[in-house]
Amino acid sequence: MDALIESFDAAHQWLFEQLLQPLMFALGLGNLLADGYAATGWLLVGIIQIVVMLTAFRALERWRPVEPVSDPAAVRVDVIYTLIHRLGLVRVAMFFAVEPLWDLISGQMRLAGVPSFQLDAIWPGVSDIPWVSFLLYLVLFDFVNYWLHRAQHQFHWWWQLHALHHSQRQMTLWSDNRNHLLDDVLIDAVFVLLARFVGVEPGQFVALVALSQLLESLSHANVRLWFGPVLERVLVSPRFHRRHHAIGIGHESEGGRGTLGGCNFAVLFPIWDQLFGTADWQLRFDPTGIRDQLPEEGARDYGRGFWSQQWLGLRRLLMRR
């Protein structure tokens, strides 16, 4: 493990010194070198993720695909979303946006005498062991993510944005980041603030995001795969998450057409769905999408290209308001 960390640090330093640092000096941004160094870390992590996706996950899709890829153009748009997110563009933007807000909040908390909170300090000698604190953060983030995901399916205004994610009829390993940018801003703001509040170190935050994103890419993959009767209840599988994207199942309540709800909201750990009664364990691989996309249900247009999808999401939101 130490050797891997050292190799990553060396690659990080080399990429920053050879690529980003000269560019920042040329643009007169020398005062932002520390931020540029952090951005280089996100870039490197994103490159590693994409390599894993193109090799291991793509091999799984070729091995046992759920369905043939009949709409490659839709998949190419998802690739654009993935590159925007995995190469750190959204996270870096959120850092600059949330940092001043957090400074304001933390300053007011100190003035009010509110003590700071460090999650890794709850059990000295145990919770501050790096791998233990990492697991604590991972569980906490996933728990919060579960409830945020349910909220996206509960509130009509939020569903108008989140529906873009569910509108993909051709799910692949690239589909995880197919989101409306405003939806991403809302979710990412919560997690950046949460990370600051519980004392997550920057390096751990990068690792938490990277691991979560990789597992989410796997769960969206076009592969006929489940993890067996035991592991299936420990980690979200492609089978488990595809059920969440199934037409009329993953986005509706038991009331059916026109309602909001769904099942299998967990992002990493299905335990949350088990605890709160939203798990669906049927071993099926149904078609994905939203009911109102079907020709017989009105054939609603969610957009074919990146910008049309973003515009139509805003239009749905404004019309709902």
Side-chain angles (χ1 to χ4, degrees):
M1 180 61 70
D2 290 341
L4 287 175
I5 294 175
E6 290 177 3
S7 298
F8 179 86
D9 289 341
H12 185 185
Q13 187 71 30
W14 181 89
L15 188 62
F16 174 70
E17 292 178 350
Q18 299 300 317
L19 177 64
L20 199 60
Q21 183 174 260
L23 179 61
M24 293 183 71
F25 278 128
L27 296 174
L29 301 175
N31 60 316
L32 298 175
L33 288 180
D35 298 324
Y37 187 78
T40 308
W42 284 110
L43 174 63
L44 181 57
V45 167
I47 292 172
I48 294 172
Q49 287 188 73
I50 291 171
V51 169
V52 173
M53 293 165 65
L54 287 172
T55 53
F57 296 172
R58 187 68 189 95
L60 286 174
E61 289 191 327
R62 288 194 296 266
W63 170 54
R64 291 188 66 191
V66 174
E67 58 189 356
V69 175
S70 58
D71 191 357
V75 176
R76 285 194 292 269
V77 176
D78 286 357
V79 173
I80 295 173
Y81 282 103
T82 302
L83 293 176
I84 290 173
H85 285 78
R86 301 303 167 90
L87 298 184
L89 300 181
V90 173
R91 295 290 174 176
V92 171
M94 286 305 304
F95 174 82
F96 285 110
V98 172
E99 188 74 11
L101 176 61
W102 171 253
D103 289 341
L104 175 63
I105 293 173
S106 58
Q108 292 299 317
M109 290 172 61
R110 284 193 296 270
L111 289 174
V114 178
S116 60
F117 178 76
Q118 299 289 323
L119 183 61
D120 62 359
I122 61 174
W123 189 358
V126 177
S127 58
D128 50 3
I129 299 173
W131 69 267
V132 175
S133 62
F134 183 84
L135 288 178
L136 288 174
Y137 294 138
L138 195 64
V139 171
L140 173 63
F141 277 44
D142 197 55
F143 176 73
V144 173
N145 215 352
Y146 169 83
W147 287 106
L148 288 173
H149 197 179
R150 285 193 66 169
Q152 290 172 313
H153 286 250
Q154 181 68 36
F155 298 106
H156 285 273
W157 67 268
W158 206 343
W159 169 252
Q160 307 313 315
L161 299 175
H162 186 60
L164 170 59
H165 181 69
H166 280 259
S167 66
Q168 179 56 282
R169 303 294 310 280
Q170 191 77 76
M171 271 183 64
T172 68
L173 62 91
W174 304 104
S175 300
D176 173 46
N177 292 122
R178 177 194 175 96
N179 300 309
H180 197 280
L181 294 179
L182 180 55
D183 197 6
D184 284 325
V185 167
L186 295 173
I187 296 295
D188 288 349
V190 171
F191 284 110
V192 172
L193 287 171
L194 177 63
R196 294 295 303 269
F197 179 71
V198 300
V200 180
E201 295 294 331
Q204 280 191 316
F205 185 63
V206 173
L208 286 165
V209 172
L211 177 61
S212 298
Q213 287 181 332
L214 268 180
L215 292 174
E216 289 172 55
S217 291
L218 176 60
S219 68
H220 286 83
N222 177 28
V223 56
R224 192 175 295 274
L225 177 66
W226 74 302
F227 294 156
V230 177
L231 188 56
E232 183 82 355
R233 283 166 165 74
V234 176
L235 191 65
V236 169
S237 70
R239 193 286 316 167
F240 186 86
H241 194 66
R242 189 179 180 91
R243 192 73 177 152
H244 175 72
H245 279 262
I247 297 174
I249 297 170
H251 59 86
E252 294 178 352
S253 70
E254 294 180 356
R257 183 182 289 102
T259 63
L260 289 183
C263 61
N264 297 7
F265 297 103
V267 178
L268 300 181
F269 306 127
I271 183 65
W272 313 125
D273 284 297
Q274 296 180 65
L275 288 175
F276 301 111
T278 54
D280 185 333
W281 301 107
Q282 294 186 60
L283 189 54
R284 297 175 54 175
F285 296 86
D286 296 301
T288 61
I290 305 174
R291 187 190 297 275
D292 62 13
Q293 288 178 285
L294 303 177
E296 63 272 21
E297 298 286 346
R300 188 172 194 174
D301 180 21
Y302 285 85
R304 292 287 296 170
F306 178 89
W307 292 113
S308 65
Q309 290 170 359
Q310 295 298 306
W311 162 244
L312 288 172
L314 285 177
R315 185 179 175 184
R316 290 192 301 272
L317 176 63
L318 294 173
M319 290 177 65
R320 181 69 196 179
R321 296 291 294 175

